[in-house]
Amino acid sequence: MKNKPKTLFDKVWDSHVVTRKKDYPDLLYIDAHLIHEVTTPQAFDGLRRRKIKVARPDRTWATADHNVPTKNQHLPIKELLSKIQVEKLTKNCQEFGIRLYGMGHPFQGIVHIIGPELGITKPGMTIVCGDSHTSTHGAFGAVAFGIGTSEVEQVLASQCILQNKPKTMNIEVNGKLGKGVVSKDIILYIISKISTGGGTGYFVEYTGSTIKNLSMEARMTICNMSIEMGARGGLIAPDETTYQYMKGRPFAPKEKNWDSALRNWQTLPTDKGAKYDKRVAFDASDIEPMVTYGTNPGMGIKISQHIPTEDNFQMESQRSSFRKAVNYMNIKPGKKIQDQKVDYVFLGSCTNSRIEDLRMVAHIVKGRKKADDVEVFVVPGSRQVETQARKEGIDKILKDSGFELRGPGCSACLGMNEDKIPSGKYCISTSNRNFEGRQGPGARTFLASPLTAAASALTGRITDPRELL
Amino acid sequence: MENIDTDQIIPARFLKAVTREGFDQHLFRDWRFDSNNKPRKDFVLNDKTFKGKILVTRRNFGIGSSREHAAWALKDYGFDAVVSSFFADIFKTNALINQLLPVTVSPDFLKKLFAEIKKNPQTIVNIDIPNQIIEIKNANIKEKFPLDPYRKMCLIKGYDDINYLLNQKFDIIKFEKQRKNDFSI
Ligand code: SF4
């Protein structure tokens, strides 16, 4: 009998099921577990309490990213609680025999940047991390998703996790992207259409010619924000672009192993005729540079559009959320979003801090000057990205324009380390969340692409990057 | 409110603790307190008439960050259940693991529930886990809610995932041995 056609997601998931029993979640084997300082201390305590070891330290990688300052990284962390949390990670890694790319290590960086960069992330794998943006790794055709601390403990203890199999959704994007429209715009566009809950319960596979033509960096940006529509994860079938990117990376298979791995990876893409539980399609030509105006990532509009008004929403509950958002952001419904004043610009985060993102920024600011009344943070995702940027002279281009390239970390993405946006100030940011207070108490966030954010840094206002390209 | 995210439930700057305790102080921190740490009068948790063990909230609760601290904070604060018409996935799992019961009800039931509570803040809401029923006896409304069978068993019998997993060790090792095409390490 011929096998039933399967989706990429089903193939990867099913091949990792250790046991499947009625009325129980699947017992799913995890190939790689990435950990960081914030969501693990309580999990390690749990192991100590039970007197058990980490099952597979060789499948576990650690880095410090959320708490690290992005200036003077050679000095001890100033903030005491941050310092304790990072030290705790170091101690736990020593005690349990886990390799750690901590501060000062040449491989240190945001967990979702270093996984792919080091070749840890590979097609067909299951990957988890106590962080919702683990979905980033799906760009390689891996099933990757974020988990809570108790689940981190499960994986440390057994290298497995109890998990109900999500449903599958296919999001197809076809056509050519317009000038100045990049992958961040694609995903903000999709979320604005699907809403922050539209993907809940699903794992999304992105397909279509537009996606196929994207670089790995751009694909990661899309998968990264899958969680912002509620999806457990997102993934993209591996292809030549994927293999080119991976070849020669430290943890990528070598020589003979590479050839057998490749043969296996080539069997992963979704079979013809395989069924998804839900399908949606978009046309790339309808996408423009996107900006969010409100306090969740679904509140995005095209940069040429006006901020909606209450009349655009049907239900009273939506209207009240809209009122609360507009009130928090202190913006006028119905007004143009362009030319809105910004005080800060954040170029970084696991969404947009790869070398390609910095190249985009350099491209647009080269030979131009930063506006006087904005402060700009340019934060590479990892030490390796930073080194590469310096090698390419990006730091100089930035400096000539009045920007500064900082050290790697999560930085102003989440208002946890030293980099915060002050209360009431406006920040245009390449990160992934614009929730109230996300970038610091009272901070107001507009999410956008690196091109749009960089263009806005030059003018001090939300600016359409197409005017500068 | 719809779409309440975990950054509101517990802001990132309070995630620095290395133990599980004390997150209740920071639950909904920036909605409960103003920038001078004074309680905000207009926030419902600061209104004593609405005290209780069940949090009732609008759809799409718990979106955003995977921080389990959100569930810890709610549980620490004294909540045993959260009722909404829709929950974000990771939050739901985190809550269940911590014996905080997410009760998904129909939008219509939620509307009635809000109305009853508004009419009478002392309304008693019963949640029957074995039968998966949520009920307001006085108003004569009830509804069955979904609950994953495995999680239900854990809640009722107090089972622990990790013990369960450790008991599967034999199967896990067998799986590791039989595995083909593993190029992950
Ligand atoms: S950059 Fe932001 S979203 Fe990404 S891992 Fe760090 S804090 Fe989380």
Side-chain angles (χ1 to χ4, degrees), chain A residues 15-19 21 23-25 27 29 31 38 41-42 45 50 56 58-59 61 67 79 81-82 85 122 125 130-132 146-151 153-154 157-158 160 162 164 196-197 200-201 230 232 260-261 264 296 317 321 324 414-416 433 435-436 438 441, chain B residues 1-3 5-8 11-20 23 30-31 58-60 63-69 72 86-90 93-94 97-98 148-151 153 159-166 168-169 171-172 175-176 179 181-185:
Chain A
S15 67
H16 287 81
V17 174
V18 177
T19 53
K21 275 192 266 180
D23 284 349
Y24 279 80
L27 181 63
Y29 193 79
D31 291 328
V38 184
Q42 296 87 352
D45 278 349
R50 295 170 199 266
R56 296 293 302 263
D58 56 333
R59 290 186 180 273
W61 283 263
N67 277 285
E79 218 180 312
L81 289 176
S82 291
Q85 209 168 46
K122 291 179 268 288
M125 285 174 76
D131 190 286
S132 56
I147 56 179
T149 299
S150 295
E151 293 175 310
E153 192 180 334
Q154 291 182 22
S158 68
C160 287
L162 289 164
N164 289 315
T196 55
T200 305
R232 275 321 295 274
S260 16
N264 178 243
N296 75 51
S317 58
S321 295
K324 192 164 189 305
L414 90 166
M416 179 163 195
R433 288 185 176 142
F435 299 139
E436 286 185 23
R438 170 77 182 184
Chain B
M1 265 287 284
E2 292 190 341
N3 308 320
D5 61 83
T6 52
D7 271 272
Q8 305 320 313
R13 60 186 193 282
F14 301 117
L15 302 185
K16 293 184 189 180
V18 290
T19 61
R20 280 180 191 240
F23 290 106
D30 297 331
W31 287 355
R58 290 203 195 276
R59 68 184 299 283
N60 211 11
I63 58 171
S65 158
S66 58
R67 54 188 73 160
E68 193 167 323
H69 312 67
W72 297 338
F86 197 81
F87 288 95
D89 280 335
I90 304 184
T93 307
N94 283 338
I97 288 177
N98 289 285
D148 179 76
Y150 169 77
R151 289 289 159 208
M153 181 181 76
Y159 281 178
D160 170 299
D161 289 332
I162 297 198
N163 285 337
Y164 175 76
L165 283 168
L166 293 175
Q168 311 296 313
K169 205 162 188 162
D171 284 338
I172 298 173
F175 177 87
E176 283 179 328
R179 190 117 176 262
N181 300 327
D182 175 23
F183 303 97
S184 45
I185 46 170

Side-chain angles (χ1 to χ4, degrees), chain A residues 65-66 110-112 131 133 349-351 410 413-414 432 438:
Chain A
D65 51 6
H66 286 63
I110 305 174
V111 61
H112 311 309
D131 190 286
H133 292 101
S349 90
C350 57
T351 314
C410 291
C413 173
L414 90 166
N432 42 48
R438 170 77 182 184

Side-chain angles (χ1 to χ4, degrees), chain A residues 116-117 140 216-217 220 241-247 249:
Chain A
E117 180 177 85
F140 291 78
M216 281 322 290
E217 279 90 346
M220 284 188 251
T241 311
T242 321
Y243 311 137
Q244 282 302 325
Y245 177 96
M246 289 176 53
K247 211 160 185 177
R249 298 201 177 251

